[in-house]
Structure formats: C-alpha cells, structure tokens
Amino acid sequence: MKKIIPFALLILLIFFKTENIESSPASVSYSAGDIILSDGSIVKTKDFNDIDSSNPPMAVIVELQDDETVLGLGVHRSEEPLPWEIDETAQSDMQPNTAESENSPALVFVNTYAKTYVSNDDYASGWYMPDISELHAIYDNRKAINASLEKIYQLDNNASMDELGTNWYWASTPSKTSDDYAWFMHFFNGYASDCSKNFTNVHVLAVRKFQAEGSDAA
C-alpha cells in the first residue's frame, strides 16, 4: 500500500496538469488582411460587417514580424502620385515652416498621415514610408490585403482606398548608385527598381508597427 499511494498521487497530478493545459485559452492567431481598428483592436475580415464611426479601420495587417509585432498598412494611399523629391526651383511655391520644406511631397504624406486619417491620438506617431522589403511583403500579401480594403470601401468609400491596384509605390530605400534615386515597386507585376526621386507617377503608402495583441507598439 505504501507504494500505491505515491503512484496514485502522481497520476492525479498529471491529470490536473493536463486539464489545466487543455482548458487554457488558445493563443490568438493574426494573419495578413486582418483589420486594425482605431482603438488598436484587431478583427478578422470575415467578422467585419459594419463601420463604427467612433472606431473606424486604421490599418490592415501585412505580416507578423520576428519581434512579435505586426506590420500594419494604413488604409489610405496618397490621393495622387507624388514625387519623392522635388526640384529646388519649385520650393518657392511651398509654404514655409511646414513639412513641405523637407523638399519631399512623399514624406509629407507619410509625416501627416495620422493627422489626416487617424482619429486616435495614441497612434498619432510611428507612421513611415515602407522600405523595399516591406513593399515586397505588401505585394506578396496583396490578395488578403485587397479583400479587406475592398470590404471596408464597400461599407464606406471614404473609409479606405478600394484596393492597392496596379499603382507604382515609393519605398524609403535610397538607391546605392545615386543620391537622386530611390526604390519603387510596380504592383502590376511586382517589378522593383530605382528611379529619379522627382518622378511623378508614383503613389505613397504609410505603414506602422503594432503589438500583436492590438495595443500600441513600444
């Protein structure tokens, strides 16, 4: 009997440990296309059927990154194609003491993105132009991203762009061959190259990192 009691206790301990593991809540799984709302919460596209004006969509997940953050794509692109950089002769038409003085309309769009499109001050900073590797990730996951953008747009065509389309998009990655060149990607076929920063046929996207649980990134 002395040997049976410890063995029985061991069986009970294993049983309770197994029960606790099985009854613990499952970890949340995030994937490309999931919609990030303005309060930082994340919803699956299939579950998003109405736009709350007090908590509209803010971004769409591009991918989960190695540091456990998610890369979120802002749901609006620049309304028009913008040059990465403009000629100095055009600066006389720009307003002084504003972001325009940086001589980069593309960066102006990114730097003012939150002021224009984000309603929650907790997410007013941290937006930036994607680099070429992040543009590749957006392009690779465009099917899921477009599905979410289209759903948002159908609910309210002012709440997001309709889809990424076949536009050319700037990257923040500078060319290694010339200071006057930067990388871009053509979303018609994924072609990427560098070109003159004053090229005027390229749109701009804004991205931001978010914590996977939907709270603000550190």
Side-chain angles (χ1 to χ4, degrees), residues 142-159:
R142 67 193 182 282
K143 184 175 181 180
I145 294 170
N146 281 336
S148 294
L149 292 173
E150 288 171 359
K151 191 165 190 180
I152 297 169
Y153 185 83
Q154 288 170 1
L155 292 169
D156 181 354
N157 57 19
N158 292 313

Side-chain angles (χ1 to χ4, degrees), residues 147-181:
S148 294
L149 292 173
E150 288 171 359
K151 191 165 190 180
I152 297 169
Y153 185 83
Q154 288 170 1
L155 292 169
D156 181 354
N157 57 19
N158 292 313
S160 76
M161 54 181 149
D162 52 352
E163 60 174 11
L164 290 163
T166 57
N167 298 291
W168 299 23
Y169 291 107
W170 283 118
S172 61
T173 307
S175 171
K176 293 182 178 180
T177 59
S178 172
D179 291 339
D180 296 327
Y181 279 57

Side-chain angles (χ1 to χ4, degrees), residues 11-207:
I11 295 296
L12 286 172
L13 286 173
I14 293 174
F15 173 78
F16 283 118
K17 186 176 181 180
T18 303
E19 283 293 299
N20 288 335
I21 292 173
E22 292 178 348
S23 62
S24 62
S27 59
V28 180
S29 175
Y30 300 105
S31 57
D34 291 353
I35 298 169
I36 305 175
L37 303 179
S38 293
D39 65 358
S41 60
I42 299 175
V43 60
K44 296 289 182 182
T45 306
K46 63 181 179 61
D47 299 324
F48 185 77
N49 299 305
D50 185 44
I51 294 179
D52 180 353
S53 59
S54 65
N55 189 29
M58 173 171 53
V60 175
I61 289 180
V62 176
E63 63 180 357
L64 181 65
Q65 303 196 307
D66 292 338
D67 59 1
E68 298 303 317
T69 61
V70 293
L71 180 65
L73 169 68
V75 296
H76 296 272
R77 61 168 167 261
S78 60
E79 292 186 5
E80 300 177 352
L82 297 171
W84 210 108
E85 191 171 74
I86 61 175
D87 296 332
E88 292 182 2
T89 55
Q91 288 191 29
S92 59
D93 296 329
M94 297 188 302
Q95 298 178 6
N97 302 319
T98 65
E100 282 85 346
S101 62
E102 296 176 358
N103 196 31
S104 175
L107 287 178
V108 170
F109 170 78
V110 175
N111 292 341
T112 59
Y113 183 85
K115 182 178 180 181
T116 306
Y117 296 113
V118 179
S119 59
N120 189 339
D121 290 342
D122 291 340
Y123 300 94
S125 62
W127 296 90
Y128 63 95
M129 189 189 306
D131 62 27
I132 191 62
S133 66
E134 290 168 329
L135 272 185
H136 273 288
I138 295 169
Y139 178 80
D140 290 343
N141 293 304
R142 67 193 182 282
K143 184 175 181 180
I145 294 170
N146 281 336
S148 294
L149 292 173
E150 288 171 359
K151 191 165 190 180
I152 297 169
Y153 185 83
Q154 288 170 1
L155 292 169
D156 181 354
N157 57 19
N158 292 313
S160 76
M161 54 181 149
D162 52 352
E163 60 174 11
L164 290 163
T166 57
N167 298 291
W168 299 23
Y169 291 107
W170 283 118
S172 61
T173 307
S175 171
K176 293 182 178 180
T177 59
S178 172
D179 291 339
D180 296 327
Y181 279 57
W183 280 81
F184 73 93
M185 176 174 282
H186 194 345
F187 272 45
F188 173 71
N189 56 10
Y191 171 77
S193 184
D194 56 355
C195 70
S196 175
K197 290 180 178 179
N198 62 16
F199 190 51
T200 57
N201 198 33
V202 188
H203 282 81
V204 187
L205 299 170
V207 295

